[in-house]
Amino acid sequence: MTPGSGDEAILDISGLRVTFTGGPRPVRAVDGVDLKLWRGEVVALLGESGSGKSVTLRSILRLHPEKKTRIEGGIRVQDVDVLRLKGRALADFRGKRVSMIFQEPMLAMDPVYTVGRQITESIIKHENVSPDEARRRALTLFEQVRIPSPARRLDAYPHEMSGGMRQRAMIALALACNPQVLLADEPTTALDATVQVQILLLLRELQHQLGLSMIFVTHDISVGVEVADRIAVMYAGRIVEIGSVRDVIRSPRHPYTIGLMSTRPHGGRLLGNRLPAIPGSPPDLANLPPGCAFAPRCPHAGEVCGVSAPAPVEVSAGHWVRCVRTDLTAKA
Amino acid sequence: MTSPLLEVRGLVKQFPVRKNLFGRATTFVSAVDGIDFDLFEGETLGVVGESGCGKSTTARLLMHLIEPTAGTIRFGGRTVGTAELPVKEFRRQVQMVFQDSYASLNPRLTVEESIAFGPTVHGVSQREANARALSLLERVGLDPRRFAGRFTHELSGGQRQRVNIARALALQPRILVLDEAVSALDKSVEAQVLNLLADLKEAFGLTYLFISHDLEVVRFMSTRVLVMYLGRVAELGPTEALYTGSRHPYTTALLGSLLSMDPDHRTAAPPITGDPPNPIDPPPGCRFHTRCAYAEGVCSARMPALLAGAADAAPHWVACHMHAPRSGHSKLKAGAAPETA
């Protein structure tokens, strides 16, 4: 679902299906995701809880429990076939080629080691360098993510840092082995507003500086607008709309995206006005309706929507929508 | 304005954080450190601030879920927790909806039992309580025939929060304290619940204390807004006056942290740097001076008082030396408050 480009994709996800088989009924959390990430590009994966955005992201690092997950389709990072990686090769791949930052650094980091130790360990593990050299690099990283008095902070334990500082430390840890692709899973959601802006700007700056390719998972459109080149909107395990930030924000064409944009309370609104709301609630993934999963909540739904899942339609260059009624959603 | 429904004066809550050998607390954190505000009948007072600023502690103090260390709360002119107004009677007038819709419902009770429980405790007959539960379910948009017999784990997040709202209304309170009541909901469901809250307020003549970290939602819901920082009130004023003409540098920074939603005008620089300081060891003087661009000597020396402007049509309070005449701050704002406000 991306436009052709002369450059090769650094990450290529095709026909990805992820099914969790651990429960009483199999749950298909991701149902046919195609996504190409170009070199140096930032794609925001936007969706609500249960939309499959984090599951997609975690599949790229194969973080799901092997025995309870069925992954179909393809994930390639340049010449690496991620779904075929095993043992040592998978361990080398994680952190070195593709790295990840999480929502809650307190849970992602080991509480019994200092932050500096965790970074140097990662560097030594992936690259054959001396502990002194690793420590020097860790210090540089801490300066890069702008942690004040970095030398002292390297010897701090995660619980001794504030939320914003911990998130900076985790970014340093993720960048320790110069990955080509950085995956971010709601990295600013747990932060306060004044700290969120600082972390977003830091990520944007590092991405520019290092030429990183990034997938940024978020439930907050405004965060996506702040960091991304393209936005992919997910609903019930599928990408229902993808395009440049400008296209998706200014002329959304999927009824779900349009609904999301209009339910935001924004700017000076007189009291007593009602918010336009999307009726109903997100579907049960173990029991998806046939056809378009959004149809039961959609103002434009017709008989045709219940028949089969809509194929992507290109409404303008590089702007794809999985909806059969895009004629109704065009701006008058 | 008329006399307030709820008056909060000098409210303080300290939690022990360290104990000595004999189990006596030696270090305290002042989660709420002397706050004053009024809540007027029929208004929605929004409360904003970052984590650790004391907004949830304030809500719990209002409900008497925790005992204040100092300060008074008066409801309709009567002091809560005294012979004038016992806590049990007060609680019937003030009910609360929490953020975690799952944890705040008893998993062993059906939806109907959950809603009817409160009224029976307060002496309403079981039959009438059940009838009230069913009519409230209808009122919050859940068909009683389908939902009355369900257990909480059978509901979605949005449905559970509707049950929590119905339960809070079962005692026919006059004030509803909403502590991050929509924060855990998905955006598409959040709008439905906000609309429901607006409808209920009108239908039952309720007064809301609406606590949220989401500045856009607070702007949409509130008549007035109270901004907290490290246990103190930084600013309190009519919603639009505060959003379009904030007086406290912290409020300005908080509003400046709102993202633009415009890909051509992205945020270029963060409005303030650093994290909020640790509330165990708050800075002296104005709590915000460590992060404030306008901080001067007086800011770390003296704590600013909460003052309203002399020319305000509706009082717009701020605790900042730049707005206090004769504070000695070099950037004193014109139209600042009289000393005796």
Side-chain angles (χ1 to χ4, degrees), chain A residues 236-303:
Chain A
R238 296 191 189 117
I239 293 179
V240 294
E241 178 156 9
I242 185 167
S244 73
V245 171
R246 276 178 195 81
D247 283 348
V248 173
I249 296 302
R250 300 221 175 112
S251 33
R253 293 292 292 277
H254 195 284
Y256 174 63
T257 319
I258 295 171
L260 270 189
M261 294 291 298
S262 61
T263 59
R264 282 176 58 86
H266 202 74
R269 187 187 290 268
L270 292 169
L271 263 149
N273 281 6
R274 297 175 61 84
L275 283 172
I278 303 176
S281 47
D284 175 7
L285 292 175
N287 196 9
L288 281 179
C292 174
F294 187 64
R297 306 173 76 186
C298 180
H300 304 301
E303 246 171 68

Side-chain angles (χ1 to χ4, degrees), chain A residues 162 194 226 228 246 274 278, chain B residues 50 192 199 264 266-267 275:
Chain A
S162 65
T194 57
E226 203 62 43
R246 276 178 195 81
R274 297 175 61 84
I278 303 176
Chain B
E50 299 178 289
Q192 298 170 10
D199 291 348
D264 293 326
R266 289 178 170 177
T267 313
D275 289 13

Side-chain angles (χ1 to χ4, degrees), chain A residues 148-271:
Chain A
S149 41
R152 198 162 53 83
R153 294 286 184 167
L154 277 178
D155 296 320
Y157 289 90
H159 74 269
E160 295 175 307
M161 302 176 122
S162 65
M165 228 32 91
R166 269 202 296 269
Q167 199 56 282
R168 286 173 195 268
M170 187 158 64
I171 295 169
L173 176 58
L175 297 178
C177 296
N178 306 311
Q180 294 159 301
V181 179
L182 184 63
L183 308 176
D185 192 1
E186 304 256 17
T188 61
T189 305
L191 301 174
D192 285 318
T194 57
V195 182
Q196 162 169 299
V197 185
Q198 298 175 40
I199 299 293
L200 282 180
L201 295 189
L202 173 70
L203 276 172
R204 207 168 67 193
E205 190 186 303
L206 289 171
Q207 187 267 332
H208 272 289
Q209 235 174 50
L210 307 172
L212 286 168
S213 314
M214 248 175 97
I215 298 188
F216 198 106
V217 161
T218 178
H219 70 282
D220 185 341
I221 309 181
S222 60
V223 167
V225 173
E226 203 62 43
V227 295
D229 301 306
R230 282 192 298 154
I231 291 187
V233 183
M234 287 194 74
Y235 189 80
R238 296 191 189 117
I239 293 179
V240 294
E241 178 156 9
I242 185 167
S244 73
V245 171
R246 276 178 195 81
D247 283 348
V248 173
I249 296 302
R250 300 221 175 112
S251 33
R253 293 292 292 277
H254 195 284
Y256 174 63
T257 319
I258 295 171
L260 270 189
M261 294 291 298
S262 61
T263 59
R264 282 176 58 86
H266 202 74
R269 187 187 290 268
L270 292 169
L271 263 149

Side-chain angles (χ1 to χ4, degrees), chain B residues 72-94:
Chain B
T72 56
I73 301 169
R74 288 166 72 80
F75 178 81
R78 295 182 294 168
T79 307
V80 178
T82 63
E84 283 179 355
L85 186 63
V87 170
K88 186 173 174 184
E89 199 186 319
F90 171 69
R91 281 213 183 117
R92 208 161 50 77
Q93 309 283 349
V94 184

